[in-house]
Amino acid sequence: MDSGRASTAAARPVVHFSDRGLPGWLEPVADVAASVEPRQLSRFLPPADGAGRPSAVLVLFGEGADGPELLLMERASSLRSHAGQPSFPGGALDPEDGDPDGDGPLRAALREAEEETGLDPSGVQLFATLPALYIPVSGFVVTPVLGWWRRPTPVAPVDPAETARVFTVSVEELTNPENRATAVHPSGYSAPAFDVGPALVWGFTAGVIDRLLHYAGWERPWDRTRRVTIDQIDRIDRRG
């Protein structure tokens, strides 16, 4: 390793990764991460030729006034990809994050979450990762990084050009059958969606949440025939 690479590696923050001390209600999620197969999460998997931009998102569980909750944000409407969509905090790996096949996604998930929501990474305990998945429309290869918000700190949009809103959604809301629907895109693509809090959560984010709820045993029966129509990739027409 040359001196430049050595100094870069030395400058990288240490990432604390452990599943010890998690609250009991979060243990089923940790169990899912330890056993789930990529195909159980999505039919869109990273290209076999290695194409795609390495990225990571932070799937951050906390405990709020209404019990277990997830941290979400709404992307700014001016962004080039996934504009206006609710999502997990996250983004592409930077060189200083390190190896995409090593600790790089962990650092990227925390770094992006801090840059987008202002959370203090020192209060987050990373405890698992899910298999990398693929978002064809943007070419991102995304590793979902699971975290426990052991010491919550205030959050809000840091840069309005990137983040429109930051909010939490309780697991109770996410599992409520009245908040579940199937999102349908004009292309014919359909997938689970969540009509919760201030947002309709759909696409990649909703897919990950749906699978976590299912395999953790938290899912409740819901009406899959209820439809919400996605008029176009960056605009949502909400119809109950």
Side-chain angles (χ1 to χ4, degrees):
M1 178 184 296
D2 61 36
S3 58
R5 291 182 180 178
S7 61
T8 299
R12 291 175 187 143
V14 175
V15 177
H16 299 287
F17 187 83
S18 172
D19 61 0
R20 294 184 179 182
L22 296 176
W25 60 263
L26 198 47
E27 291 178 0
V29 177
D31 291 341
V32 170
S35 60
V36 73
E37 298 291 331
R39 285 286 181 191
Q40 293 177 297
L41 295 175
S42 175
R43 63 189 178 93
F44 299 113
L45 303 182
D49 62 3
R53 187 175 184 186
S55 309
V57 295
L58 180 63
V59 184
L60 184 58
F61 290 89
E63 193 154 7
D66 297 320
E69 62 185 17
L70 273 173
L71 177 69
L72 297 175
M73 51 172 274
E74 181 183 310
R75 294 170 59 82
S77 59
S78 58
L79 294 175
R80 287 184 299 175
S81 61
H82 309 292
Q85 288 190 28
S87 69
F88 300 117
L93 269 67
D94 286 346
E96 59 266 27
D97 293 323
D99 186 359
D101 296 320
D103 288 345
L106 308 183
R107 292 191 183 88
L110 286 177
R111 175 184 55 75
E112 287 281 346
E114 182 178 16
E115 292 175 359
E116 292 173 334
T117 74
L119 67 75
D120 182 352
S122 68
V124 175
Q125 176 183 340
L126 302 182
F127 65 88
T129 60
L130 296 178
L133 306 174
Y134 188 58
I135 304 181
V137 67
S138 57
F140 285 121
V141 174
V142 185
T143 299
V145 178
L146 308 186
W148 159 234
W149 211 355
R150 179 178 292 280
R151 189 177 69 255
T153 50
V155 289
V158 174
D159 181 356
E162 291 190 7
T163 308
R165 286 185 294 173
V166 180
F167 58 98
T168 57
V169 177
S170 71
V171 171
E172 174 62 28
E173 284 184 273
L174 292 167
T175 58
N176 185 338
E178 294 184 3
N179 297 334
R180 302 296 309 267
T182 297
V184 182
H185 190 271
S187 67
Y189 172 78
S190 63
F194 300 84
D195 193 358
V196 291
L200 177 69
V201 183
W202 61 287
F204 175 85
T205 302
V208 172
I209 294 173
D210 173 77
R211 294 296 81 194
L212 282 176
L213 296 180
H214 175 77
Y215 289 114
W218 295 347
E219 184 180 41
R220 295 155 63 185
W222 56 281
D223 183 5
R224 296 173 186 272
T225 65
R226 181 191 173 211
R227 297 286 194 263
V228 290
T229 301
I230 309 302
D231 281 339
Q232 57 189 33
I233 198 69
D234 290 330
R235 184 168 69 86
I236 300 173
D237 174 21
R238 300 176 64 167
R239 293 187 288 184

